[in-house]
Amino acid sequence: MHSLIFGLPDVFAPGVATALVLTALRVGGLLLVAPAWSAKSVPMRLRAALIVLFAVLLLPAALESADRSGLAITPATFLAETVVGFALGFAAALVVAGVEFAGELATNTIGLSGAAIFDPLGNTQGALFASFLQLLAVTLLLLAGGHLLMIEAVAKSFTVMPLGGPLALDRGFLPLVKAGAQLFASGLQFAAPVIAAILLTNLALAVLGRAAPQLQVMSLAFPLQIGVGLLTFAGSIGLVVQALGGWTTPYHQTLDSFARAAQVAPAPAMGASR
């Protein structure tokens, strides 16, 4: 292979330009849904520049396992490379989406559904606690180097699923759908303390209202529900942070399940270290 300065491959060599385009498609699929990378606040020009930059940097890794003589840009390869990148970003987006869903449940349970707040990542109005937990999850993800981990996953994916190689996308989507179900399960687990506290508060108020009808229970219900909900939510943030600390394990498991299902020929697991 002819090489340029810095060890980058010669784009004029046979198959290298095609590999660069396919690599950019895989990176673009990742940036389409990956947390932080897919934020609407990121300018489109910057996102396009990142796709080109990452594609150039990952091109040597892509060429190591690719059959350059058989590479071609077709509708099938276009879709396959985009879907692979999408799966890499979708697995990480599930973590943030689960926490955001917990915030939605907590906000509605406490009774603050009308208190919308601006979401800087999506440039939309969102639930109060949902936006807070989303920003918390993305911040923890960035502090833990999750943005670099996703780019590393793209580099490792070339060994498991080479550029232009045959993929069984219909089988690969099934693990992604199953992983999507964890969004609701994790969201309910994160919001469970708030839901339980509000349920117990309402039960206590109902018993108090029956035992002492002269009390104006309804006038106390709403502020008491908000107070108990806020205190419980504040106390449960530590549990959410602790759970997010181990997000890489389910991330690798989702990627491994997708890769094994989509592979036509056996290959190493994506979560395995080099």
Side-chain angles (χ1 to χ4, degrees), residues 240-274:
V240 175
V241 173
Q242 183 179 6
L244 289 175
W247 72 275
T248 55
T249 299
Y251 178 67
H252 284 151
Q253 289 176 351
T254 303
L255 295 186
D256 289 343
S257 300
F258 169 77
R260 294 180 187 279
Q263 287 168 7
V264 175
M270 290 184 57
S273 59
R274 292 182 176 180

Side-chain angles (χ1 to χ4, degrees), residues 161-175:
M161 294 170 286
L163 284 180
L167 294 175
L169 295 180
D170 54 342
R171 298 201 306 265
F173 274 121
L174 183 59

Side-chain angles (χ1 to χ4, degrees), residues 74-111:
T74 64
T77 56
F78 186 99
L79 178 62
E81 297 304 325
T82 304
V83 167
V84 171
F86 179 87
L88 300 178
F90 180 75
L94 286 176
V95 179
V96 178
V99 176
E100 186 178 1
F101 179 63
E104 291 275 359
L105 290 178
T107 301
N108 295 332
T109 303
I110 294 175

Side-chain angles (χ1 to χ4, degrees), residues 130-207:
S131 298
F132 171 76
L133 289 181
Q134 180 192 32
L135 290 174
L136 177 63
V138 173
T139 301
L140 293 176
L141 185 144
L142 294 176
L143 290 176
H147 56 303
L148 301 178
L149 180 63
M150 288 182 279
I151 301 300
E152 182 182 0
V154 176
K156 290 183 178 180
S157 69
F158 295 119
T159 303
V160 181
M161 294 170 286
L163 284 180
L167 294 175
L169 295 180
D170 54 342
R171 298 201 306 265
F173 274 121
L174 183 59
L176 293 181
V177 174
K178 292 182 178 179
Q182 296 298 320
L183 184 154
F184 301 99
S186 59
L188 184 59
Q189 290 175 355
F190 290 144
V194 175
I195 296 175
I198 296 302
L199 177 61
L200 292 177
T201 301
N202 290 334
L203 288 175
L205 289 173
V207 173

Side-chain angles (χ1 to χ4, degrees), residues 1-4 8-11 13-14 16 68:
M1 179 191 304
H2 299 288
S3 298
L4 294 176
L8 296 178
D10 184 2
V11 295
V16 175
R68 288 187 292 165

